[in-house]
Every structure is written in C-alpha cells, then in structure tokens.
Coordinates of all heavy atoms in Angstrom, one line a residue:
M1 N 24.4 20.7 10.1 CA 25.9 20.5 10.0 C 26.3 21.3 8.7 O 25.6 21.2 7.7 CB 26.2 19.0 9.8 CG 27.7 18.8 9.8 SD 28.0 17.1 10.0 CE 29.0 16.8 8.6
R2 N 27.3 22.0 8.8 CA 27.8 22.8 7.7 C 28.7 21.9 6.8 O 29.5 21.1 7.3 CB 28.6 24.0 8.2 CG 29.3 24.8 7.2 CD 30.1 25.9 7.7 NE 29.3 27.1 7.7 CZ 29.6 28.2 8.1 NH1 30.7 28.4 8.7 NH2 28.8 29.2 8.0
T3 N 28.6 22.2 5.5 CA 29.5 21.5 4.5 C 30.4 22.5 3.9 O 30.0 23.7 3.7 CB 28.7 20.7 3.5 OG1 27.9 21.6 2.7 CG2 27.8 19.6 4.1
F4 N 31.5 22.1 3.5 CA 32.5 22.9 2.8 C 32.8 22.3 1.4 O 33.7 21.5 1.3 CB 33.8 23.0 3.6 CG 33.6 23.8 4.9 CD1 33.1 23.2 6.0 CD2 33.9 25.1 5.0 CE1 32.9 23.9 7.2 CE2 33.7 25.9 6.1 CZ 33.2 25.2 7.3
D5 N 32.0 22.8 0.5 CA 32.2 22.3 -0.9 C 32.7 23.3 -1.9 O 33.2 23.0 -2.9 CB 30.8 21.8 -1.4 CG 30.2 20.7 -0.6 OD1 31.0 19.8 -0.2 OD2 29.0 20.7 -0.4
R6 N 32.6 24.6 -1.5 CA 33.0 25.7 -2.4 C 33.9 26.7 -1.7 O 33.9 26.7 -0.5 CB 31.8 26.4 -2.9 CG 30.8 25.5 -3.7 CD 29.5 26.2 -3.9 NE 29.0 26.8 -2.6 CZ 27.8 27.1 -2.4 NH1 26.9 27.1 -3.3 NH2 27.5 27.6 -1.2
S7 N 34.6 27.4 -2.5 CA 35.4 28.5 -1.9 C 34.6 29.4 -1.1 O 35.0 29.9 0.0 CB 36.0 29.3 -3.1 OG 36.7 30.4 -2.6
S8 N 33.4 29.7 -1.5 CA 32.5 30.7 -0.7 C 32.2 30.1 0.7 O 32.0 30.9 1.6 CB 31.3 31.0 -1.5 OG 30.5 29.8 -1.7
D9 N 32.1 28.8 0.8 CA 31.9 28.2 2.1 C 33.0 28.5 3.1 O 32.8 28.8 4.3 CB 31.7 26.7 2.0 CG 30.5 26.3 1.2 OD1 29.5 27.0 1.2 OD2 30.6 25.2 0.5
Y10 N 34.2 28.4 2.6 CA 35.4 28.7 3.4 C 35.5 30.2 3.7 O 35.9 30.5 4.8 CB 36.7 28.2 2.7 CG 36.8 26.7 2.7 CD1 36.4 25.9 1.7 CD2 37.5 26.1 3.8 CE1 36.5 24.5 1.7 CE2 37.6 24.7 3.8 CZ 37.1 23.9 2.8 OH 37.2 22.6 2.8
L11 N 35.2 31.0 2.7 CA 35.2 32.4 2.9 C 34.2 32.9 4.0 O 34.5 33.7 4.8 CB 35.0 33.1 1.6 CG 35.2 34.6 1.6 CD1 36.6 35.0 2.2 CD2 35.1 35.1 0.2
D12 N 33.0 32.3 3.9 CA 32.0 32.6 4.9 C 32.4 32.2 6.3 O 32.3 33.0 7.3 CB 30.7 31.9 4.6 CG 29.9 32.5 3.4 OD1 30.3 33.6 2.9 OD2 29.1 31.7 2.9
A13 N 33.0 31.1 6.4 CA 33.5 30.6 7.7 C 34.7 31.5 8.2 O 34.8 31.8 9.4 CB 34.0 29.2 7.6
A14 N 35.5 31.9 7.3 CA 36.7 32.8 7.6 C 36.1 34.1 8.2 O 36.6 34.7 9.2 CB 37.5 33.1 6.4
R15 N 35.1 34.7 7.6 CA 34.5 35.9 8.1 C 33.9 35.7 9.5 O 34.0 36.6 10.4 CB 33.4 36.4 7.1 CG 34.0 37.0 5.8 CD 33.0 37.5 4.9 NE 33.6 38.1 3.7 CZ 33.3 37.7 2.5 NH1 32.3 36.8 2.3 NH2 33.9 38.2 1.5
E16 N 33.3 34.6 9.7 CA 32.7 34.3 11.0 C 33.8 34.2 12.1 O 33.6 34.7 13.2 CB 31.9 33.0 11.0 CG 30.6 33.1 10.3 CD 29.9 31.7 10.2 OE1 30.1 30.9 11.1 OE2 29.1 31.5 9.3
M17 N 34.9 33.6 11.7 CA 36.0 33.4 12.7 C 36.6 34.8 13.0 O 37.0 35.1 14.1 CB 37.1 32.5 12.2 CG 36.6 31.0 12.1 SD 36.1 30.4 13.7 CE 34.3 30.4 13.5
A18 N 36.8 35.6 11.9 CA 37.3 37.0 12.1 C 36.4 37.8 13.1 O 36.9 38.5 14.0 CB 37.5 37.7 10.8
D19 N 35.1 37.7 12.8 CA 34.1 38.4 13.6 C 34.1 37.9 15.1 O 33.8 38.7 16.0 CB 32.7 38.3 13.1 CG 32.6 39.0 11.7 OD1 33.4 39.9 11.4 OD2 31.6 38.8 11.0
S20 N 34.5 36.7 15.3 CA 34.5 36.1 16.7 C 35.8 36.2 17.4 O 36.0 35.6 18.4 CB 34.0 34.7 16.7 OG 34.9 33.8 16.0
G21 N 36.8 37.0 16.7 CA 38.1 37.2 17.3 C 39.1 36.0 17.2 O 39.9 35.9 18.0
R22 N 38.9 35.3 16.1 CA 39.9 34.2 15.9 C 40.6 34.4 14.6 O 40.4 33.8 13.5 CB 39.1 32.9 15.8 CG 38.4 32.5 17.1 CD 37.7 31.2 17.0 NE 37.1 30.8 18.2 CZ 35.8 30.7 18.5 NH1 34.9 31.0 17.6 NH2 35.4 30.4 19.7
P23 N 41.5 35.4 14.6 CA 42.2 35.7 13.3 C 43.1 34.7 12.7 O 43.1 34.6 11.5 CB 43.1 37.0 13.7 CG 43.3 36.8 15.2 CD 42.0 36.1 15.7
A24 N 43.7 33.8 13.5 CA 44.5 32.8 12.9 C 43.7 31.7 12.2 O 44.0 31.3 11.0 CB 45.4 32.1 14.0
L25 N 42.6 31.4 12.8 CA 41.7 30.4 12.1 C 41.0 31.1 10.9 O 40.9 30.4 9.8 CB 40.6 30.0 13.1 CG 39.6 28.9 12.6 CD1 40.4 27.7 12.0 CD2 38.7 28.4 13.7
A26 N 40.7 32.3 11.0 CA 40.2 33.1 9.8 C 41.2 33.0 8.7 O 40.8 32.8 7.5 CB 39.8 34.5 10.2
R27 N 42.4 33.3 9.0 CA 43.4 33.3 7.9 C 43.6 31.9 7.3 O 43.7 31.8 6.1 CB 44.8 33.7 8.5 CG 46.0 33.7 7.6 CD 45.8 34.6 6.4 NE 46.9 34.4 5.4 CZ 47.3 35.2 4.5 NH1 46.7 36.4 4.4 NH2 48.3 34.9 3.7
M28 N 43.5 30.9 8.1 CA 43.6 29.5 7.5 C 42.5 29.2 6.6 O 42.7 28.6 5.5 CB 43.7 28.5 8.7 CG 45.0 28.5 9.4 SD 45.0 27.5 10.9 CE 44.7 25.9 10.2
L29 N 41.3 29.6 7.0 CA 40.1 29.3 6.2 C 40.2 30.2 4.9 O 39.8 29.7 3.8 CB 38.8 29.6 7.0 CG 38.5 28.6 8.0 CD1 37.5 29.2 9.0 CD2 38.0 27.3 7.4
A30 N 40.7 31.4 5.0 CA 40.8 32.3 3.9 C 41.8 31.7 2.9 O 41.6 31.8 1.7 CB 41.2 33.7 4.3
E31 N 42.9 31.1 3.4 CA 43.9 30.5 2.5 C 43.3 29.3 1.7 O 43.5 29.2 0.6 CB 45.1 30.0 3.3 CG 46.0 31.2 3.8 CD 47.1 30.8 4.7 OE1 47.2 29.5 5.0 OE2 47.9 31.6 5.1
E32 N 42.5 28.6 2.4 CA 41.8 27.5 1.7 C 40.8 28.0 0.7 O 40.7 27.5 -0.4 CB 41.1 26.6 2.7 CG 40.5 25.3 2.2 CD 41.6 24.4 1.6 OE1 42.7 24.3 2.1 OE2 41.3 23.7 0.6
A33 N 40.1 29.1 1.0 CA 39.2 29.7 0.0 C 40.0 30.2 -1.2 O 39.6 29.9 -2.3 CB 38.4 30.8 0.7
A34 N 41.1 30.8 -0.9 CA 41.9 31.3 -2.0 C 42.5 30.2 -2.9 O 42.5 30.3 -4.1 CB 43.1 32.1 -1.5
D35 N 42.9 29.1 -2.3 CA 43.4 27.9 -3.0 C 42.3 27.3 -3.9 O 42.6 26.8 -5.0 CB 43.8 26.8 -2.1 CG 45.1 27.1 -1.4 OD1 45.8 28.1 -1.8 OD2 45.5 26.4 -0.4
R36 N 41.1 27.4 -3.5 CA 39.9 26.9 -4.3 C 39.4 27.9 -5.3 O 38.4 27.5 -6.0 CB 38.8 26.4 -3.3 CG 39.3 25.2 -2.5 CD 38.3 24.9 -1.4 NE 38.7 23.8 -0.6 CZ 38.3 22.5 -0.8 NH1 37.4 22.3 -1.7 NH2 38.8 21.6 0.0
T37 N 39.9 29.0 -5.4 CA 39.5 30.1 -6.3 C 40.3 30.0 -7.6 O 41.5 30.3 -7.5 CB 39.5 31.4 -5.6 OG1 38.7 31.4 -4.4 CG2 39.0 32.5 -6.5
P38 N 39.7 29.8 -8.7 CA 40.5 29.7 -9.9 C 41.1 31.0 -10.4 O 42.1 31.0 -11.1 CB 39.6 29.1 -11.0 CG 38.2 29.4 -10.4 CD 38.3 29.5 -9.0
D39 N 40.5 32.1 -10.1 CA 41.0 33.4 -10.5 C 42.0 34.0 -9.6 O 41.8 34.2 -8.4 CB 39.8 34.4 -10.6 CG 40.2 35.8 -11.1 OD1 40.6 36.6 -10.3 OD2 40.1 36.0 -12.3
A40 N 43.2 34.2 -10.1 CA 44.4 34.6 -9.2 C 44.1 36.0 -8.6 O 44.5 36.2 -7.4 CB 45.6 34.7 -10.1
Q41 N 43.5 36.9 -9.3 CA 43.2 38.2 -8.7 C 42.2 38.1 -7.5 O 42.3 38.8 -6.5 CB 42.7 39.2 -9.7 CG 43.8 39.7 -10.6 CD 43.3 40.8 -11.6 OE1 42.2 40.6 -12.2 NE2 44.0 41.9 -11.7
E42 N 41.2 37.3 -7.7 CA 40.2 37.1 -6.7 C 40.8 36.4 -5.5 O 40.5 36.7 -4.3 CB 39.0 36.2 -7.2 CG 37.9 36.1 -6.2 CD 36.7 35.3 -6.8 OE1 36.6 35.2 -8.0 OE2 35.9 34.9 -6.0
A43 N 41.7 35.4 -5.7 CA 42.4 34.7 -4.6 C 43.2 35.7 -3.8 O 43.2 35.7 -2.6 CB 43.2 33.6 -5.2
A44 N 43.9 36.6 -4.5 CA 44.7 37.6 -3.9 C 43.9 38.6 -3.1 O 44.2 39.0 -1.9 CB 45.6 38.4 -4.9
S45 N 42.7 38.9 -3.6 CA 41.8 39.8 -2.9 C 41.3 39.1 -1.6 O 41.2 39.8 -0.5 CB 40.6 40.1 -3.8 OG 39.6 40.8 -3.1
I46 N 41.0 37.8 -1.6 CA 40.6 37.1 -0.4 C 41.6 37.2 0.6 O 41.4 37.5 1.8 CB 40.2 35.6 -0.8 CG1 39.0 35.5 -1.6 CG2 40.1 34.8 0.5 CD1 38.7 34.2 -2.2
L47 N 42.9 36.9 0.3 CA 44.0 36.9 1.2 C 44.2 38.3 1.8 O 44.6 38.4 3.0 CB 45.3 36.3 0.6 CG 45.2 34.8 0.2 CD1 46.5 34.4 -0.4 CD2 44.9 34.0 1.5
A48 N 44.0 39.3 1.0 CA 44.2 40.7 1.4 C 43.2 41.1 2.5 O 43.5 41.9 3.4 CB 44.1 41.6 0.3
Q49 N 42.0 40.4 2.5 CA 41.0 40.7 3.5 C 41.3 40.1 4.9 O 40.8 40.5 5.9 CB 39.7 40.1 3.0 CG 39.1 40.8 1.8 CD 37.8 40.0 1.3 OE1 36.9 39.8 2.1 NE2 37.8 39.6 0.1
F50 N 42.2 39.2 4.9 CA 42.6 38.5 6.1 C 44.1 38.5 6.2 O 44.8 37.5 6.0 CB 42.1 37.0 6.1 CG 40.6 36.9 6.0 CD1 40.0 36.9 4.7 CD2 39.8 37.0 7.1 CE1 38.6 36.8 4.6 CE2 38.4 36.9 7.0 CZ 37.8 36.9 5.7
P51 N 44.7 39.6 6.6 CA 46.1 39.8 6.7 C 46.7 38.9 7.8 O 46.1 38.5 8.7 CB 46.4 41.2 7.0 CG 45.1 41.7 7.7 CD 44.0 40.8 7.1
G52 N 48.0 38.6 7.6 CA 48.7 37.8 8.5 C 49.6 36.8 7.8 O 49.5 36.6 6.6
R53 N 50.4 36.1 8.6 CA 51.3 35.2 8.0 C 50.6 33.8 7.9 O 49.8 33.5 8.8 CB 52.6 35.1 8.7 CG 52.6 34.7 10.1 CD 53.9 34.7 10.8 NE 53.8 34.4 12.2 CZ 53.8 33.1 12.7 NH1 53.9 32.1 11.8 NH2 53.7 32.9 13.9
T54 N 51.1 33.0 7.0 CA 50.5 31.7 6.9 C 51.0 30.8 8.1 O 52.1 31.0 8.6 CB 50.9 31.0 5.6 OG1 50.2 29.8 5.5 CG2 52.4 30.8 5.5
L55 N 50.1 29.9 8.5 CA 50.5 28.9 9.5 C 50.7 27.5 8.9 O 50.9 26.6 9.6 CB 49.3 28.8 10.5 CG 49.0 30.1 11.3 CD1 47.8 29.9 12.1 CD2 50.2 30.5 12.1
R56 N 50.8 27.5 7.6 CA 51.0 26.2 6.9 C 52.4 25.8 7.0 O 53.3 26.6 7.0 CB 50.6 26.4 5.4 CG 49.2 26.6 5.2 CD 48.9 26.7 3.7 NE 47.4 26.8 3.5 CZ 46.9 26.9 2.3 NH1 47.7 27.0 1.2 NH2 45.6 27.0 2.2
R57 N 52.6 24.5 7.0 CA 53.9 23.9 7.0 C 54.2 23.4 5.6 O 53.4 22.7 5.0 CB 54.0 22.8 7.9 CG 54.0 23.2 9.4 CD 54.2 22.0 10.2 NE 54.2 22.5 11.6 CZ 54.2 21.6 12.6 NH1 54.2 20.3 12.4 NH2 54.2 22.1 13.9
E58 N 55.3 23.9 5.0 CA 55.6 23.4 3.7 C 56.6 22.2 3.8 O 57.5 22.2 4.6 CB 56.3 24.6 2.9 CG 55.4 25.8 2.7 CD 54.2 25.5 1.8 OE1 54.3 24.7 0.9 OE2 53.1 26.1 2.1
G59 N 56.4 21.3 2.8 CA 57.4 20.2 2.7 C 57.0 19.1 3.5 O 57.5 18.2 4.0

C-alpha cells in the first residue's frame, strides 16, 4: 500500500497518472505536491510540469 507523506510522494503519483493518460488526476496530485513544497519557485515548477486548470473548489 502506498503512503503519501511527502511532496515527492504526490509528485511521483502525478507522474504515474500523467503517463497513464489521466491528466486531470495528475494535475490534482501535482497541486497537492506544490502545496506541500515550502519553496515557491519549486512549487511553481511542479505546476508548470502539469498544465491545466485547477479542479479545486474555493470557498
């Protein structure tokens, strides 16, 4: 069973989803990885690797 404790766990899963043709799920996982990344430039780089609009609901 996979655990998601670190940003890199989410990023690895995002790459797997992108490779398997699931771009929306990949983007969601990448957003979570970016949120868990303390460095703003690194977070922006993560999101740039997985383009698309967010599926998050605000408010």
Side-chain angles (χ1 to χ4, degrees):
M1 185 166 127
R2 174 182 264 178
T3 60
F4 291 84
D5 299 323
R6 301 170 307 199
S7 174
S8 61
D9 297 326
Y10 287 92
L11 188 54
D12 290 344
R15 289 184 179 123
E16 288 178 24
M17 291 302 104
D19 290 345
S20 67
R22 297 181 174 114
L25 186 51
R27 174 65 187 200
M28 290 172 59
L29 289 161
E31 287 176 359
E32 189 62 35
D35 286 349
R36 293 170 180 264
T37 301
D39 181 274
Q41 284 185 315
E42 185 176 343
S45 174
I46 289 170
L47 294 177
Q49 294 175 52
F50 300 90
R53 62 181 177 86
T54 185
L55 299 174
R56 292 180 175 181
R57 291 186 179 170
E58 297 297 324

